[in-house]
Amino acid sequence: MSQSLNLKTAERNSFKLATYTDGLNDISLGIVMIVLSLYSFTRNLLGPVLNAVAILIVVLIAVGSLSFIKSRLVPPRVGIVKFGSQTKTRLIKAVSATAILVLAVLATWYISASDIIFQEPTWERLPRWVTDFDVDIFFTLLTIALFSSIAYSFSVLRFHLYGLLFGFGMLLSTILSVYRGIEFQYPMAFSGLVILGIGIYILFQFMKSYPRHSEEG
Amino acid sequence: MTAEGKSNQELHPLANIDRVIHAPARLMVMTYLYVVESADFIFLMNLTDLTWGNISSHLSKLEEAGYVEIEKTFVNKKSHTMVQLSEKGRQAFQNYKTQIQQVLDELPD
C-alpha cells in the first residue's frame, strides 16, 4: 500500500518507462561519442571548419534517425504519456539540485587543495600530469557530476558508469594526444563503443519485454 | 442511521474511505494518473502490470464515478485511448490520501 501511495516513485517510474527503458538514448550517446572521437583525426583531412560542419551533420543525422526510430518503435510497446509542466519543472529541479550539490563538493575539494586557505597547497604536491590538465580534470568531474545527477534523480544507475566512461574517455584522450601525439581518441571511442553496446543490449531486452500492443487487444 | 452506526462512523475513519479508489488496482491507476497529465491504455498496462481486460474494467468504474475522462481518437486508422484524471478525480484522490494518512497516523505503534 505504501508503495502504491508513493507519488514520487510513481512519477519517477512513469518518466523512466517513457524515457530510459528502450536503450535508444544510450545508443545516441554512444554514437555521438564515437563521432566525437574522430574529431581531431578528421580535422587533419578536412580542415577545422569543414570538419566541424561534417561532424555536426553526422551527429544531427544520427540523433535525428534515432529519434524517428524511437517515435515508431516505442509508442506501440510502451504507450503514450504526457507529463504536466509541474512534473517537468520538478524533475529539472531535482537534476539541477543534485548537480549543484556534486559541484559544491568538487569546489570544496578544489579550494582545500589549492592555496586559497592553506599556506602549502596540496595541489602543488600532486603529480605534474594532474596540474598540467587541471581544466580537463575540471570538465571530467563536471561531466561525471551531470551524469550522476541524472542517474540519481531518475534511478537509472547505468548513467553513473556513462559519466565515468565519458569523463575519463575525454581526459585520457587529451593526455594521450599531448604526451604521445595520438590524434585518434581511442579512449573516447572505446567508451562510446561500450555505451553503444549497452544500448543495443537494452534495446533487444526492451523488444523482448515489451511486445507491440494495439487497442484491439 | 442508528446511534451505534453514527458512533462507528466517528470512531472508524476507514468507514468513510472512498471504496472506488480503495481497490488496489484502481488505487494504482489513480496514483499513476495523478502524477501525469494523461496516459494511454498501453502505458497504464505497462506501469501497473494489469491485463487489458482488467484495466478496462477498472477504468470503466472510475469513469462511472466521474474520476477519469477517457478520450478515444484514431491515429493512423487505429483506435487510441487517452485517459486523464478529472478535476473531481483529482480532488477525490487528494481526499483519499488525507484520509488514509490520518487512519495510519492514528494507529498505535
Side-chain angles (χ1 to χ4, degrees):
Chain A
M1 182 72 74
S2 64
Q3 201 178 4
S4 301
L5 278 176
N6 191 333
L7 295 174
K8 279 184 188 163
T9 308
E11 193 171 44
R12 200 177 280 179
N13 287 348
S14 310
F15 199 79
K16 199 171 152 182
L17 178 66
T19 317
Y20 296 111
T21 317
D22 50 58
L24 287 168
N25 285 338
D26 311 58
I27 292 173
S28 294
L29 179 64
I31 290 174
V32 167
M33 283 174 68
I34 291 167
V35 173
L36 288 179
S37 73
L38 296 168
Y39 186 82
S40 44
F41 185 68
T42 50
R43 190 172 47 195
N44 295 337
L45 300 170
L46 301 171
V49 178
L50 194 59
N51 185 46
V53 173
I55 292 278
L56 187 66
I57 289 171
V58 172
V59 167
L60 287 176
I61 290 172
V63 173
S65 308
L66 285 164
S67 299
F68 176 75
I69 293 170
K70 196 177 175 91
S71 71
R72 294 282 160 159
L73 190 79
V74 178
R77 296 165 191 275
V78 164
I80 296 169
V81 62
K82 286 179 190 163
F83 292 97
S85 56
Q86 279 186 334
T87 303
K88 284 175 195 161
T89 312
R90 237 189 332 268
L91 292 170
I92 290 166
K93 273 184 189 167
V95 172
S96 310
T98 319
I100 288 167
L101 277 175
V102 176
L103 285 175
V105 171
L106 294 176
T108 310
W109 167 76
Y110 182 80
I111 290 167
S112 63
S114 67
D115 57 357
I116 296 170
I117 298 174
F118 302 108
Q119 289 294 316
E120 193 183 356
T122 50
W123 188 254
E124 282 178 5
R125 290 188 214 154
L126 293 169
R128 213 176 133 229
W129 69 267
V130 176
T131 48
D132 280 354
F133 295 99
D134 51 353
V135 174
D136 302 279
I137 290 171
F138 174 76
F139 278 107
T140 298
L141 295 173
L142 186 68
T143 306
I144 294 170
L146 289 174
F147 274 89
S148 292
S149 65
I150 294 172
Y152 177 73
S153 303
F154 302 125
S155 303
V156 190
L157 294 180
R158 63 183 186 275
F159 271 69
H160 287 297
L161 174 69
Y162 293 177
L164 292 171
L165 284 169
F166 201 159
F168 284 109
M170 277 195 305
L171 181 63
L172 287 175
S173 297
T174 310
I175 291 172
L176 283 176
S177 166
V178 171
Y179 282 167
R180 303 272 177 192
I182 299 171
E183 294 286 346
F184 185 74
Q185 301 186 358
Y186 287 102
M188 187 76 157
F190 172 76
S191 299
L193 276 174
V194 171
I195 295 173
L196 179 64
I198 294 172
I200 292 170
Y201 174 76
I202 293 169
L203 180 63
F204 276 110
Q205 291 298 315
F206 169 78
M207 307 271 274
K208 268 203 285 184
S209 308
Y210 295 92
R212 287 178 77 93
H213 289 283
S214 69
E215 299 225 339
E216 282 77 26
Chain B
M1 189 178 285
T2 62
E4 195 184 342
K6 272 185 187 169
S7 162
N8 277 345
Q9 288 275 333
E10 283 164 13
L11 287 173
H12 301 291
L14 268 175
N16 296 323
I17 287 286
D18 188 334
R19 282 157 204 270
V20 177
I21 301 178
H22 195 57
R26 287 197 289 276
L27 178 56
M28 253 197 303
V29 172
M30 289 287 285
T31 305
Y32 281 116
L33 286 175
Y34 187 77
V35 295
V36 301
E37 194 177 283
S38 62
D40 69 358
F41 265 47
I42 300 169
F43 195 82
L44 289 172
M45 263 173 63
N46 280 318
L47 277 176
T48 57
D49 279 334
L50 293 170
T51 61
W52 190 271
N54 263 335
I55 208 153
S56 186
S57 100
H58 287 302
L59 281 172
S60 296
K61 283 193 179 119
L62 290 170
E63 193 182 22
E64 274 170 30
Y67 290 172
V68 297
E69 287 161 0
I70 298 177
E71 192 191 354
K72 271 192 187 262
T73 52
F74 281 86
V75 179
N76 296 331
K77 293 181 183 172
K78 285 181 182 169
S79 69
H80 183 76
T81 312
M82 290 299 285
V83 188
Q84 68 173 39
L85 277 192
S86 63
E87 202 45 55
K88 186 182 171 189
R90 202 159 277 278
Q91 190 58 53
F93 186 79
Q94 279 166 355
N95 291 342
Y96 174 82
K97 201 167 143 251
T98 312
Q99 279 177 323
I100 204 86
Q101 270 167 351
Q102 195 185 341
V103 169
L104 295 174
D105 286 346
E106 284 171 7
L107 280 176
D109 290 329

